[in-house]
């Protein structure tokens, strides 16, 4: 295989974009383990003056990810995130106005490998979210596992993510004056294993908890489709039923998160590496689905809302797919 190297005369801005994305990838792959290792070393060598105060504070702070988190506008405004968003680049598109006196659930699709579109749009101050949706605060819900990693949880929360637990979503949607948006990647970790370029498979048919909680809180549902999310990485072939997919699914059930074996390009060459491809991401926010508050929804009401959501999600995809290079005959596959 012929190796294609990056040209030497790359503009400084593109080099900075590459560095920004590299640190993001490495952070989510290795920073949690490094942070846990640091705490372990402090305990093993008995640096009690460092670990005792932190672990004491951690004990009292344990539920913060389920109570709105602890975002830092300073961290969200780091220049590195501007270069991160410009690397792909990431775009946010609004199709309908939202009422800032109401709370909403954004159902984000697809998961992709590392959910770059959701992070860039809702966890940094360099998307046009505040201009498109003035008066709103978006909360990206992620796996609770990440908030169990000492030190790393502080870094993660500073950008705005919170837990995807039922308690956490309810906390966000309970704001009486409205203006909160829960962004939930509905396909979850399972969907990341099907995040291959060109694939349009969404794991949603059995995901009905979001519909129930929307009814409970009277939060309108908004389908969101991120065109280009699955084009950022390639994965080692793992069709359903293969030994690799079986191992991945078993590990997911044990650990709570998936381990897609992905690759894309390198820093200095384009053939292989952990850097995502420079593919544009267009995150399209659909029209809200009105939801009447029902404190104790029946299974029939949940199913009806779930079906309506899937219908609106498919409609959103069909309306916009041609703009973003998806052939006319391609359509979403719901699992």
């Amino acid at each position: 295989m012929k190796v294609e190297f990056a040209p030497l005369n790359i503009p400084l801005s593109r080099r900075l974009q590459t560095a920004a994305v590299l640190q993001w990838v490495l952070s989510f792959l290795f920073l949690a383990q490094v942070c846990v290792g640091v705490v372990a070393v402090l305990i093993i060598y008995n640096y009690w003056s460092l670990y005792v105060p932190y672990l004491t504070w951690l004990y009292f702070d344990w539920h913060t990810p389920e109570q709105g988190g602890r975002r830092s506008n300073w961290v969200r405004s780091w220049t590195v995130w501007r270069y991160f968003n410009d690397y792909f680049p990431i775009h946010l598109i609004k199709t309908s106005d939202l009422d800032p006196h109401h709370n909403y659930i954004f159902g984000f699709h697809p998961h992709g490998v590392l959910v770059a579109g959701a992070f860039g749009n809702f966890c940094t101050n360099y998307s046009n979210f505040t201009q498109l949706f003035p008066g709103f605060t978006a909360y990206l819900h992620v796996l609770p596992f990440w908030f169990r990693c000492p030190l790393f949880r502080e870094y993660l929360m500073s950008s705005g993510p919170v837990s995807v637990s039922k308690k956490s979503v309810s906390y966000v949607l309970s704001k009486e004056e409205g203006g909160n948006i829960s962004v939930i990647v509905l396909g979850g970790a399972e969907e990341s294993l099907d995040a291959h370029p060109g694939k349009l498979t969404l794991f949603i048919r059995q995901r009905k908890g979001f519909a129930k909680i929307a009814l409970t809180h009277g939060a309108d549902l908004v389908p969101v489709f991120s065109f280009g999310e699955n084009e950022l990485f390639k994965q080692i072939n793992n069709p359903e039923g293969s030994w690799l997919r079986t191992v991945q699914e078993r590990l997911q059930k044990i650990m709570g998160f998936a381990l897609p074996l992905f690759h894309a390009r390198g820093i200095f060459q384009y053939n292989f590496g952990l850097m995502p491809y420079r593919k544009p991401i267009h995150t399209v926010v659909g029209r809200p689905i009105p939801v009447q508050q029902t404190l104790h929804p029946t299974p029939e009401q949940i199913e009806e809302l779930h079906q309506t959501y899937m219908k609106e999600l498919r409609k959103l995809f069909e309306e916009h797919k041609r703009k973003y290079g998806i052939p006319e005959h391609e359509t979403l596959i719901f699992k």
Side-chain angles (χ1 to χ4, degrees), residues 137-313:
T137 301
Y139 295 83
L140 177 62
H141 295 271
V142 302
L143 288 175
F145 167 83
W146 297 113
F147 300 106
R148 296 170 189 151
C149 301
L151 299 180
F152 178 76
R153 69 192 292 273
E154 326 305 338
Y155 170 73
L156 182 60
M157 275 196 291
S158 66
S159 294
V162 293
S163 172
V164 76
S165 69
K166 179 181 177 181
K167 182 178 179 181
S168 177
V169 178
S170 293
Y171 182 92
V172 172
L173 298 178
S174 295
K175 186 178 179 182
E176 293 185 3
E177 59 270 32
N180 278 356
I181 297 174
S182 279
V183 183
I184 306 176
V185 187
L186 296 178
E190 185 179 13
E191 191 174 277
S192 68
L193 298 178
D194 261 330
H196 295 268
K199 291 199 70 173
L200 298 167
T201 303
L202 304 181
F203 287 71
I204 188 174
R205 289 197 182 276
Q206 304 304 317
R207 312 285 173 121
K208 301 180 182 180
F210 74 98
K212 181 178 181 180
I213 202 166
L215 285 164
T216 303
H217 290 276
D220 290 355
L221 288 176
V222 181
V224 178
F225 196 88
S226 195
F227 292 89
E229 196 76 42
N230 280 351
E231 310 304 315
L232 306 183
F233 297 96
K234 295 178 181 177
Q235 286 194 56
I236 294 176
N237 195 32
N238 61 340
E240 291 188 8
S242 65
W243 70 268
L244 175 57
R245 186 61 166 263
T246 301
V247 171
Q248 289 175 319
E249 290 173 347
R250 287 179 180 175
L251 287 174
Q252 180 202 335
K253 290 179 180 179
I254 295 171
M255 299 184 298
F257 60 92
L259 294 172
L261 299 181
F262 64 90
H263 60 92
R265 52 159 289 187
I267 302 174
F268 303 111
Q269 46 77 30
Y270 298 136
N271 294 73
F272 188 84
L274 296 178
M275 289 286 296
Y277 295 114
R278 284 182 182 266
K279 301 283 187 178
I281 300 173
H282 295 89
T283 303
V284 183
V285 180
R287 292 178 290 272
I289 302 168
V291 177
Q292 183 67 37
Q293 186 175 19
T294 308
L295 295 179
H296 303 286
T298 64
E300 292 75 20
Q301 290 173 316
I302 295 171
E303 180 64 27
E304 181 182 3
L305 180 57
H306 185 255
Q307 291 295 326
T308 300
Y309 179 85
M310 289 195 297
K311 179 181 177 181
E312 288 299 315
L313 174 59

Side-chain angles (χ1 to χ4, degrees), residues 2-192:
K2 183 179 180 181
V3 178
E4 183 183 357
F5 290 95
L8 296 177
N9 57 342
I10 297 177
L12 177 60
S13 61
R14 289 177 69 87
R15 294 179 186 272
L16 292 173
Q17 291 166 12
T18 300
V21 172
L22 178 63
Q23 70 81 27
W24 175 76
V25 172
L26 294 178
S27 293
F28 280 93
L29 289 180
F30 305 115
L31 186 57
Q33 295 92 316
V34 170
C35 289
V36 171
V38 168
V39 174
V41 168
L42 293 177
I43 294 173
I44 291 171
Y45 288 95
N46 198 27
Y47 287 96
W48 63 267
S49 61
L50 295 177
Y51 74 79
V52 169
Y54 176 73
L55 294 181
T56 302
W57 176 80
L58 181 62
Y59 174 81
F60 291 102
D61 191 64
W62 190 251
H63 297 291
T64 297
E66 294 184 324
Q67 298 171 348
R70 185 172 48 250
R71 67 180 58 204
S72 165
N73 193 56
W74 175 66
V75 173
R76 290 167 60 92
S77 298
W78 283 353
T79 305
V80 67
W81 303 132
R82 174 164 64 86
Y83 288 113
F84 171 85
N85 279 16
D86 290 343
Y87 174 90
F88 300 98
I90 297 174
H91 306 279
L92 186 65
I93 297 96
K94 181 178 78 170
T95 62
S96 179
D97 290 330
L98 302 181
D99 182 1
H101 301 292
H102 201 73
N103 297 315
Y104 295 85
I105 293 178
F106 279 14
F108 187 93
H109 311 271
H111 184 287
V113 172
L114 294 179
V115 209
F119 181 86
N121 280 311
F122 305 116
C123 296
T124 77
N125 289 340
Y126 291 101
S127 75
N128 55 347
F129 174 82
T130 55
Q131 290 76 36
L132 295 178
F133 302 101
F136 283 97
T137 301
Y139 295 83
L140 177 62
H141 295 271
V142 302
L143 288 175
F145 167 83
W146 297 113
F147 300 106
R148 296 170 189 151
C149 301
L151 299 180
F152 178 76
R153 69 192 292 273
E154 326 305 338
Y155 170 73
L156 182 60
M157 275 196 291
S158 66
S159 294
V162 293
S163 172
V164 76
S165 69
K166 179 181 177 181
K167 182 178 179 181
S168 177
V169 178
S170 293
Y171 182 92
V172 172
L173 298 178
S174 295
K175 186 178 179 182
E176 293 185 3
E177 59 270 32
N180 278 356
I181 297 174
S182 279
V183 183
I184 306 176
V185 187
L186 296 178
E190 185 179 13
E191 191 174 277
S192 68

